[in-house]
Amino acid sequence: MAQRPGRLESGIGWVIRNLDVVIAVGLGLTIGFLDVFGEVVSEDVSSGATLLVLGALAVGSMTERVRRRSDIQEVSADTRRALEDLAMVRSLSGSEVGEALSKAREQTNRWYFKGGTGTYLRAVTLPRCVEAATRQRTPLSIKIDIINPGSEKTCSDYARFRQTFARQRNTEAANAWTTTRTRKESYATVLAACWYRQRLDTLEISVHLSSGVPTLRFDLSESCLVITQDDPNRVNLLVARDQPLYDYYVTELHQSREQAERLDLHALPPLSDEPTVDEVRAVFDHLSLPLPSVFTDGDVGEIIDKALHADDPYRR
């Protein structure tokens, strides 16, 4: 264990750091004592000594300014580094969300999603990631966690949640989010996952169905995590890969999937490039996730359209 410096060492260190001030004070006291008590110092010498003392003090003042400037620069550098670190977790609004998601898709072989019905996932993320993996001939891992379309209660609760924020914004979207629409949107995401799985052998995709109602959406790639929500008045977040929060949510999303129902996407009945109603019904029956008996062929056709031709919700 290192020993603390003694008083002598501390005193010497202080003198060295403030040598300019010590010299100035020493000269001033010496000349002052000789002039007052000895009367041996001439007026010219006294005036010169005074100038010397003032010069020493001026040098000391400049040295102190340099020292302070160095300290300020050091503090500024620390602040700048802190701000740079803070910028790794930043807020997103408006078109920035779409831009952040687009950048997150660049050079990534994995995508984890947790949210409500996955509209943006099947409209943009899934087709773009599959397209890139096909072009680059690289493996792709996608894990999807959405609400269970087979649970009418869960879908009803989610629709009510979406209606709440829509009413607060005084928009017509409140009437658009019904239990039936919510179920169709979620079924469409399941269908999209099955359809793309049959078209890319290197695609490892899993679908997990949750009974809880999520209030946030998580899109996680190899470079970042984007957290969004349905209320545009609230902030969305971008978390960089090298931030602890990113790793926390990797674990959180994993635990959420572990508690959800995982669909078995193996040995699925074939789906055409433009799936038929009978093909889609067969797929959902195979998944033990049959479509509601009240769904007509027109409803199934709407699910197909939502699965493969969904509109980008961030496009303006």
Side-chain angles (χ1 to χ4, degrees), residues 116-184:
T117 60
T119 303
Y120 183 86
L121 176 78
R122 66 175 182 271
V124 180
T125 302
L126 191 52
R128 298 284 173 79
C129 287
V130 169
E131 178 186 354
T134 303
R135 183 177 62 254
Q136 300 167 8
R137 298 183 178 182
T138 55
L140 176 62
S141 175
I142 295 181
K143 301 183 186 299
I144 302 170
D145 187 349
I146 57 175
I147 62 174
N148 188 346
S151 172
E152 186 171 0
K153 180 182 184 307
T154 299
C155 292
S156 176
D157 290 342
Y158 183 76
R160 192 179 308 111
F161 167 73
R162 294 295 300 265
Q163 290 170 3
T164 299
F165 289 108
R167 291 194 190 99
Q168 290 176 358
R169 299 194 302 270
N170 296 320
T171 65
E172 297 179 357
N175 298 324
W177 277 102
T178 63
T179 301
T180 300
R181 177 194 169 179
T182 301
R183 300 186 79 178
K184 289 179 180 179

Coordinates of all heavy atoms in Angstrom, one line a residue, residues 116-184:
G116 N -47.2 -4.9 -31.1 CA -48.6 -5.3 -31.2 C -48.9 -6.3 -32.3 O -49.0 -7.5 -32.1
T117 N -49.1 -5.8 -33.5 CA -49.4 -6.6 -34.6 C -48.4 -6.7 -35.7 O -48.5 -7.5 -36.7 CB -50.8 -6.2 -35.3 OG1 -50.6 -4.8 -35.7 CG2 -51.9 -6.2 -34.2
G118 N -47.3 -5.9 -35.6 CA -46.2 -6.0 -36.5 C -46.5 -5.4 -37.9 O -46.0 -6.0 -38.9
T119 N -47.2 -4.4 -38.0 CA -47.5 -3.8 -39.4 C -46.3 -3.4 -40.1 O -46.0 -3.8 -41.3 CB -48.5 -2.6 -39.2 OG1 -49.6 -3.0 -38.6 CG2 -48.8 -2.1 -40.6
Y120 N -45.4 -2.6 -39.5 CA -44.2 -2.1 -40.2 C -43.2 -3.3 -40.4 O -42.6 -3.3 -41.5 CB -43.5 -1.1 -39.3 CG -42.2 -0.5 -40.0 CD1 -42.3 0.6 -40.8 CD2 -41.0 -1.0 -39.7 CE1 -41.2 1.1 -41.5 CE2 -39.9 -0.5 -40.3 CZ -40.0 0.6 -41.2 OH -38.8 1.1 -41.8
L121 N -43.2 -4.3 -39.5 CA -42.4 -5.4 -39.7 C -42.7 -6.1 -41.0 O -41.8 -6.4 -41.8 CB -42.6 -6.4 -38.5 CG -41.8 -7.7 -38.6 CD1 -40.3 -7.5 -38.3 CD2 -42.4 -8.7 -37.7
R122 N -43.9 -6.4 -41.3 CA -44.3 -7.2 -42.5 C -44.3 -6.3 -43.7 O -44.1 -6.8 -44.8 CB -45.6 -7.9 -42.3 CG -46.8 -7.0 -42.2 CD -48.1 -7.8 -42.1 NE -49.3 -7.0 -42.1 CZ -49.8 -6.5 -40.9 NH1 -49.3 -6.9 -39.8 NH2 -50.9 -5.8 -40.9
A123 N -44.5 -5.0 -43.5 CA -44.6 -4.1 -44.7 C -43.2 -3.7 -45.2 O -43.0 -3.6 -46.4 CB -45.3 -2.8 -44.3
V124 N -42.2 -3.6 -44.3 CA -40.9 -3.1 -44.7 C -39.8 -4.0 -44.2 O -39.0 -4.4 -45.0 CB -40.7 -1.6 -44.2 CG1 -39.3 -1.1 -44.6 CG2 -41.8 -0.7 -44.7
T125 N -39.7 -4.2 -42.9 CA -38.5 -4.8 -42.3 C -38.3 -6.2 -42.9 O -37.2 -6.6 -43.4 CB -38.7 -4.9 -40.8 OG1 -38.8 -3.6 -40.3 CG2 -37.4 -5.6 -40.2
L126 N -39.4 -7.1 -42.8 CA -39.2 -8.4 -43.3 C -38.9 -8.6 -44.8 O -37.9 -9.2 -45.1 CB -40.5 -9.2 -43.0 CG -40.5 -10.7 -43.1 CD1 -39.4 -11.3 -42.3 CD2 -41.9 -11.3 -42.6
P127 N -39.6 -7.9 -45.7 CA -39.2 -8.0 -47.1 C -37.8 -7.4 -47.4 O -37.1 -8.0 -48.2 CB -40.3 -7.3 -47.8 CG -41.0 -6.4 -46.8 CD -40.9 -7.2 -45.5
R128 N -37.5 -6.3 -46.8 CA -36.2 -5.7 -47.0 C -35.0 -6.6 -46.5 O -34.0 -6.7 -47.2 CB -36.1 -4.3 -46.4 CG -37.1 -3.3 -46.9 CD -36.8 -2.8 -48.3 NE -37.9 -2.0 -48.9 CZ -38.1 -0.7 -48.5 NH1 -37.4 -0.2 -47.6 NH2 -39.1 -0.1 -49.1
C129 N -35.2 -7.1 -45.3 CA -34.1 -8.0 -44.8 C -34.0 -9.3 -45.6 O -32.9 -9.7 -45.8 CB -34.4 -8.3 -43.3 SG -34.2 -6.9 -42.2
V130 N -35.1 -9.9 -46.0 CA -35.0 -11.1 -46.8 C -34.4 -10.8 -48.2 O -33.6 -11.5 -48.7 CB -36.4 -11.7 -47.0 CG1 -36.4 -12.7 -48.1 CG2 -37.0 -12.2 -45.7
E131 N -34.7 -9.6 -48.7 CA -34.2 -9.2 -50.0 C -32.6 -9.1 -49.9 O -31.9 -9.6 -50.8 CB -34.8 -7.9 -50.5 CG -34.2 -7.4 -51.8 CD -34.7 -6.0 -52.1 OE1 -35.6 -5.5 -51.4 OE2 -34.2 -5.4 -53.1
A132 N -32.2 -8.4 -48.8 CA -30.7 -8.2 -48.6 C -30.0 -9.6 -48.4 O -28.9 -9.8 -49.0 CB -30.5 -7.3 -47.5
A133 N -30.6 -10.4 -47.6 CA -30.0 -11.8 -47.3 C -30.0 -12.6 -48.6 O -29.0 -13.3 -48.8 CB -30.8 -12.5 -46.2
T134 N -31.0 -12.5 -49.4 CA -31.0 -13.2 -50.7 C -29.9 -12.7 -51.6 O -29.2 -13.5 -52.3 CB -32.4 -13.1 -51.4 OG1 -33.4 -13.6 -50.5 CG2 -32.4 -13.9 -52.7
R135 N -29.8 -11.4 -51.7 CA -28.8 -10.8 -52.6 C -27.4 -11.1 -52.1 O -26.5 -11.4 -53.0 CB -29.0 -9.3 -52.7 CG -28.1 -8.6 -53.6 CD -28.4 -7.1 -53.7 NE -28.3 -6.4 -52.4 CZ -29.3 -6.0 -51.7 NH1 -30.5 -6.3 -52.0 NH2 -29.0 -5.4 -50.5
Q136 N -27.1 -11.1 -50.8 CA -25.8 -11.3 -50.3 C -25.5 -12.7 -50.0 O -24.4 -13.1 -49.6 CB -25.6 -10.4 -49.0 CG -25.8 -8.9 -49.3 CD -25.9 -8.1 -48.0 OE1 -25.8 -8.7 -46.9 NE2 -26.3 -6.9 -48.1
R137 N -26.5 -13.6 -50.1 CA -26.4 -15.0 -49.8 C -25.9 -15.2 -48.4 O -24.9 -16.0 -48.1 CB -25.5 -15.7 -50.8 CG -26.0 -15.7 -52.2 CD -25.2 -16.4 -53.2 NE -25.7 -16.4 -54.5 CZ -25.2 -17.0 -55.6 NH1 -24.1 -17.7 -55.4 NH2 -25.7 -16.9 -56.8
T138 N -26.5 -14.6 -47.4 CA -26.1 -14.7 -46.0 C -27.3 -15.2 -45.2 O -28.4 -15.0 -45.6 CB -25.7 -13.3 -45.5 OG1 -26.8 -12.3 -45.7 CG2 -24.4 -12.8 -46.2
P139 N -27.0 -15.8 -44.1 CA -28.1 -16.3 -43.2 C -28.8 -15.1 -42.5 O -28.2 -14.0 -42.4 CB -27.4 -17.1 -42.1 CG -26.0 -16.6 -42.1 CD -25.7 -16.1 -43.5
L140 N -30.0 -15.3 -42.1 CA -30.8 -14.3 -41.5 C -31.7 -14.9 -40.4 O -32.4 -15.9 -40.6 CB -31.8 -13.6 -42.6 CG -32.7 -12.5 -42.1 CD1 -32.0 -11.3 -41.5 CD2 -33.7 -12.1 -43.2
S141 N -31.6 -14.2 -39.2 CA -32.4 -14.7 -38.1 C -33.4 -13.6 -37.7 O -33.0 -12.5 -37.4 CB -31.4 -15.0 -36.9 OG -32.2 -15.4 -35.8
I142 N -34.6 -14.0 -37.7 CA -35.7 -13.0 -37.3 C -36.6 -13.7 -36.2 O -37.0 -14.8 -36.4 CB -36.6 -12.6 -38.5 CG1 -35.7 -11.9 -39.5 CG2 -37.8 -11.8 -38.1 CD1 -36.5 -11.4 -40.7
K143 N -36.8 -13.0 -35.1 CA -37.6 -13.4 -34.0 C -38.7 -12.4 -33.8 O -38.5 -11.2 -33.7 CB -36.8 -13.6 -32.8 CG -35.7 -14.6 -32.9 CD -34.9 -14.9 -31.6 CE -33.7 -15.7 -31.8 NZ -34.0 -17.1 -32.3
I144 N -40.0 -12.9 -33.9 CA -41.1 -12.0 -33.8 C -42.0 -12.4 -32.6 O -42.3 -13.5 -32.4 CB -42.0 -12.2 -35.1 CG1 -41.1 -11.9 -36.3 CG2 -43.2 -11.3 -35.1 CD1 -41.8 -12.3 -37.7
D145 N -42.3 -11.3 -31.9 CA -43.2 -11.5 -30.7 C -44.4 -10.5 -30.8 O -44.2 -9.3 -30.7 CB -42.4 -11.2 -29.4 CG -43.1 -11.5 -28.1 OD1 -44.3 -11.7 -28.2 OD2 -42.5 -11.5 -27.1
I146 N -45.6 -11.0 -31.1 CA -46.7 -10.2 -31.3 C -47.9 -10.7 -30.4 O -47.8 -11.8 -29.8 CB -47.2 -10.1 -32.8 CG1 -47.4 -11.6 -33.3 CG2 -46.1 -9.4 -33.6 CD1 -48.0 -11.6 -34.7
I147 N -49.0 -10.0 -30.4 CA -50.2 -10.5 -29.7 C -50.8 -11.7 -30.4 O -50.7 -11.8 -31.6 CB -51.2 -9.3 -29.5 CG1 -51.7 -8.9 -30.8 CG2 -50.6 -8.2 -28.7 CD1 -52.8 -7.9 -30.7
N148 N -51.4 -12.5 -29.6 CA -52.0 -13.7 -30.1 C -53.4 -13.4 -30.8 O -54.3 -13.0 -30.2 CB -52.3 -14.7 -28.9 CG -52.7 -16.1 -29.4 OD1 -53.1 -16.3 -30.5 ND2 -52.7 -17.0 -28.5
P149 N -53.4 -13.6 -32.1 CA -54.7 -13.3 -32.8 C -55.8 -14.3 -32.5 O -57.0 -14.1 -32.7 CB -54.3 -13.5 -34.3 CG -53.2 -14.4 -34.3 CD -52.4 -14.2 -33.0
G150 N -55.4 -15.5 -31.9 CA -56.4 -16.4 -31.5 C -57.1 -16.1 -30.2 O -58.1 -16.7 -29.9
S151 N -56.6 -15.1 -29.5 CA -57.2 -14.7 -28.3 C -58.0 -13.4 -28.5 O -57.5 -12.3 -28.7 CB -56.1 -14.4 -27.2 OG -56.7 -13.7 -26.1
E152 N -59.3 -13.6 -28.5 CA -60.2 -12.4 -28.8 C -60.1 -11.4 -27.7 O -60.1 -10.2 -28.0 CB -61.6 -12.9 -28.9 CG -62.6 -11.8 -29.3 CD -64.0 -12.3 -29.6 OE1 -64.2 -13.5 -29.5 OE2 -64.9 -11.5 -30.0
K153 N -59.9 -11.8 -26.4 CA -59.7 -10.8 -25.3 C -58.5 -10.0 -25.5 O -58.5 -8.8 -25.3 CB -59.7 -11.6 -24.0 CG -59.5 -10.6 -22.8 CD -59.4 -11.4 -21.5 CE -59.4 -10.4 -20.3 NZ -58.3 -9.4 -20.4
T154 N -57.3 -10.6 -25.8 CA -56.1 -9.9 -26.0 C -56.2 -8.9 -27.1 O -55.8 -7.7 -27.0 CB -54.9 -10.9 -26.3 OG1 -54.8 -11.8 -25.2 CG2 -53.6 -10.1 -26.5
C155 N -56.8 -9.3 -28.2 CA -57.0 -8.4 -29.4 C -57.9 -7.3 -29.0 O -57.8 -6.1 -29.5 CB -57.5 -9.2 -30.6 SG -56.2 -10.3 -31.2
S156 N -59.0 -7.6 -28.2 CA -59.9 -6.5 -27.8 C -59.2 -5.5 -26.9 O -59.4 -4.3 -27.1 CB -61.1 -7.2 -27.1 OG -62.0 -6.2 -26.6
D157 N -58.4 -6.0 -26.0 CA -57.7 -5.1 -25.1 C -56.7 -4.2 -25.9 O -56.5 -3.0 -25.6 CB -56.9 -5.9 -24.1 CG -57.8 -6.6 -23.1 OD1 -59.0 -6.2 -23.0 OD2 -57.4 -7.5 -22.4
Y158 N -56.0 -4.8 -26.9 CA -55.1 -4.0 -27.7 C -55.8 -3.0 -28.5 O -55.3 -1.8 -28.6 CB -54.3 -5.0 -28.6 CG -53.2 -4.2 -29.4 CD1 -52.0 -3.8 -28.8 CD2 -53.4 -3.9 -30.7 CE1 -51.1 -3.1 -29.5 CE2 -52.5 -3.2 -31.5 CZ -51.3 -2.8 -30.9 OH -50.4 -2.1 -31.6
A159 N -56.9 -3.4 -29.1 CA -57.7 -2.4 -29.9 C -58.2 -1.2 -29.0 O -58.1 -0.1 -29.4 CB -58.9 -3.1 -30.5
R160 N -58.6 -1.5 -27.8 CA -59.0 -0.5 -26.8 C -57.8 0.4 -26.5 O -58.0 1.7 -26.4 CB -59.6 -1.1 -25.6 CG -60.3 -0.1 -24.7 CD -60.8 -0.8 -23.4 NE -61.7 -1.9 -23.8 CZ -61.3 -3.2 -23.5 NH1 -60.2 -3.4 -22.9 NH2 -62.1 -4.2 -23.8
F161 N -56.6 -0.2 -26.3 CA -55.4 0.6 -26.1 C -55.1 1.6 -27.2 O -54.9 2.8 -27.0 CB -54.3 -0.3 -25.9 CG -52.9 0.3 -25.9 CD1 -52.5 1.1 -24.8 CD2 -52.1 0.2 -26.9 CE1 -51.3 1.8 -24.8 CE2 -50.8 0.8 -27.0 CZ -50.4 1.6 -25.9
R162 N -55.2 1.1 -28.5 CA -55.0 2.0 -29.6 C -56.0 3.0 -29.8 O -55.7 4.2 -30.1 CB -54.9 1.1 -30.9 CG -53.8 0.1 -31.0 CD -52.4 0.8 -31.1 NE -52.3 1.7 -32.2 CZ -51.7 1.3 -33.4 NH1 -51.2 0.1 -33.5 NH2 -51.7 2.2 -34.4
Q163 N -57.3 2.7 -29.4 CA -58.4 3.7 -29.5 C -58.2 4.8 -28.5 O -58.5 6.0 -28.9 CB -59.7 3.0 -29.2 CG -60.2 2.0 -30.3 CD -61.4 1.2 -29.9 OE1 -61.9 1.4 -28.8 NE2 -61.8 0.3 -30.7
T164 N -57.6 4.5 -27.4 CA -57.4 5.5 -26.3 C -56.6 6.7 -26.9 O -56.9 7.9 -26.7 CB -56.8 4.9 -25.1 OG1 -57.6 3.9 -24.6 CG2 -56.5 6.0 -24.0
F165 N -55.4 6.3 -27.5 CA -54.5 7.4 -27.9 C -55.0 8.1 -29.2 O -54.8 9.3 -29.4 CB -53.1 6.8 -28.2 CG -52.4 6.4 -27.0 CD1 -52.2 5.1 -26.6 CD2 -51.9 7.4 -26.1 CE1 -51.5 4.7 -25.5 CE2 -51.2 7.1 -25.0 CZ -51.0 5.7 -24.6
A166 N -55.8 7.3 -30.0 CA -56.4 7.9 -31.2 C -57.4 9.0 -30.8 O -57.5 10.1 -31.4 CB -57.0 6.9 -32.1
R167 N -58.2 8.7 -29.8 CA -59.2 9.7 -29.3 C -58.5 10.9 -28.7 O -59.0 12.1 -28.9 CB -60.1 9.1 -28.2 CG -61.0 8.0 -28.7 CD -62.1 7.7 -27.7 NE -62.9 6.5 -28.1 CZ -62.6 5.3 -27.6 NH1 -61.7 5.1 -26.7 NH2 -63.4 4.3 -28.0
Q168 N -57.4 10.7 -28.0 CA -56.7 11.9 -27.5 C -56.2 12.8 -28.6 O -56.0 14.0 -28.4 CB -55.5 11.4 -26.6 CG -55.9 10.7 -25.3 CD -54.7 10.2 -24.6 OE1 -53.6 10.3 -25.0 NE2 -55.0 9.6 -23.4
R169 N -55.9 12.2 -29.8 CA -55.4 13.0 -30.9 C -56.6 13.5 -31.8 O -56.3 14.2 -32.8 CB -54.4 12.2 -31.7 CG -53.2 11.8 -31.0 CD -52.1 11.3 -32.0 NE -52.6 10.2 -32.8 CZ -52.5 8.9 -32.5 NH1 -52.0 8.5 -31.3 NH2 -52.9 7.9 -33.3
N170 N -57.8 13.1 -31.4 CA -59.0 13.5 -32.1 C -58.9 13.1 -33.6 O -59.2 13.9 -34.5 CB -59.2 15.1 -32.1 CG -59.5 15.5 -30.6 OD1 -60.2 14.8 -29.9 ND2 -58.9 16.6 -30.3
T171 N -58.5 11.9 -33.8 CA -58.3 11.4 -35.2 C -59.4 10.3 -35.4 O -60.0 9.7 -34.5 CB -56.9 10.7 -35.4 OG1 -56.8 9.6 -34.6 CG2 -55.8 11.7 -35.0
E172 N -59.6 10.0 -36.7 CA -60.6 8.9 -37.1 C -60.0 7.5 -36.8 O -60.7 6.6 -37.0 CB -60.9 9.1 -38.5 CG -61.6 10.4 -38.8 CD -62.0 10.6 -40.3 OE1 -61.6 9.7 -41.1 OE2 -62.6 11.6 -40.7
A173 N -58.7 7.4 -36.5 CA -58.1 6.1 -36.3 C -58.8 5.4 -35.1 O -58.7 4.1 -35.0 CB -56.6 6.3 -36.0
A174 N -59.4 6.1 -34.2 CA -60.0 5.4 -33.1 C -61.1 4.4 -33.5 O -61.2 3.3 -33.0 CB -60.7 6.5 -32.1
N175 N -61.9 4.8 -34.5 CA -62.9 3.9 -35.0 C -62.3 2.8 -35.9 O -62.9 1.7 -36.1 CB -63.9 4.7 -35.9 CG -64.6 5.7 -35.0 OD1 -64.9 5.5 -33.9 ND2 -64.9 6.9 -35.6
A176 N -61.1 3.0 -36.4 CA -60.5 2.0 -37.3 C -59.9 0.8 -36.5 O -59.9 -0.3 -37.0 CB -59.3 2.6 -38.1
W177 N -59.5 1.0 -35.3 CA -59.0 -0.1 -34.5 C -60.1 -0.8 -33.7 O -60.5 -0.4 -32.7 CB -57.9 0.5 -33.5 CG -56.6 0.6 -34.2 CD1 -56.0 1.8 -34.6 CD2 -55.7 -0.4 -34.5 NE1 -54.8 1.5 -35.2 CE2 -54.6 0.2 -35.1 CE3 -55.7 -1.8 -34.3 CZ2 -53.5 -0.6 -35.6 CZ3 -54.6 -2.6 -34.8 CH2 -53.5 -2.0 -35.4
T178 N -60.5 -1.9 -34.3 CA -61.5 -2.8 -33.7 C -60.8 -4.1 -33.4 O -59.7 -4.4 -33.8 CB -62.7 -3.0 -34.7 OG1 -62.1 -3.7 -35.8 CG2 -63.3 -1.7 -35.1
T179 N -61.6 -4.9 -32.7 CA -61.0 -6.3 -32.3 C -60.8 -7.1 -33.6 O -59.8 -7.8 -33.8 CB -62.0 -7.0 -31.4 OG1 -62.2 -6.3 -30.2 CG2 -61.5 -8.4 -31.1
T180 N -61.7 -7.0 -34.5 CA -61.6 -7.7 -35.8 C -60.4 -7.3 -36.6 O -59.6 -8.1 -37.1 CB -62.9 -7.6 -36.7 OG1 -64.0 -8.1 -35.9 CG2 -62.7 -8.3 -38.0
R181 N -60.2 -6.0 -36.7 CA -59.0 -5.5 -37.4 C -57.7 -6.0 -36.8 O -56.8 -6.4 -37.4 CB -59.0 -4.0 -37.5 CG -57.8 -3.5 -38.2 CD -57.5 -2.0 -38.1 NE -56.2 -1.7 -38.6 CZ -55.7 -0.4 -38.6 NH1 -56.4 0.6 -38.1 NH2 -54.5 -0.2 -39.0
T182 N -57.7 -5.9 -35.4 CA -56.5 -6.3 -34.7 C -56.2 -7.7 -35.0 O -55.0 -8.1 -35.2 CB -56.7 -6.0 -33.2 OG1 -57.0 -4.7 -33.0 CG2 -55.4 -6.4 -32.4
R183 N -57.2 -8.6 -35.0 CA -56.9 -10.0 -35.2 C -56.4 -10.2 -36.6 O -55.5 -11.0 -36.9 CB -58.2 -10.8 -35.0 CG -58.8 -10.7 -33.6 CD -60.0 -11.6 -33.4 NE -59.6 -13.0 -33.2 CZ -60.4 -14.0 -32.9 NH1 -61.7 -13.7 -32.9 NH2 -60.0 -15.2 -32.7
K184 N -57.0 -9.5 -37.6 CA -56.5 -9.6 -39.0 C -55.1 -9.2 -39.2 O -54.3 -9.8 -39.9 CB -57.4 -8.8 -39.9 CG -58.8 -9.4 -40.1 CD -59.7 -8.5 -41.0 CE -61.0 -9.1 -41.2 NZ -61.9 -8.2 -42.1

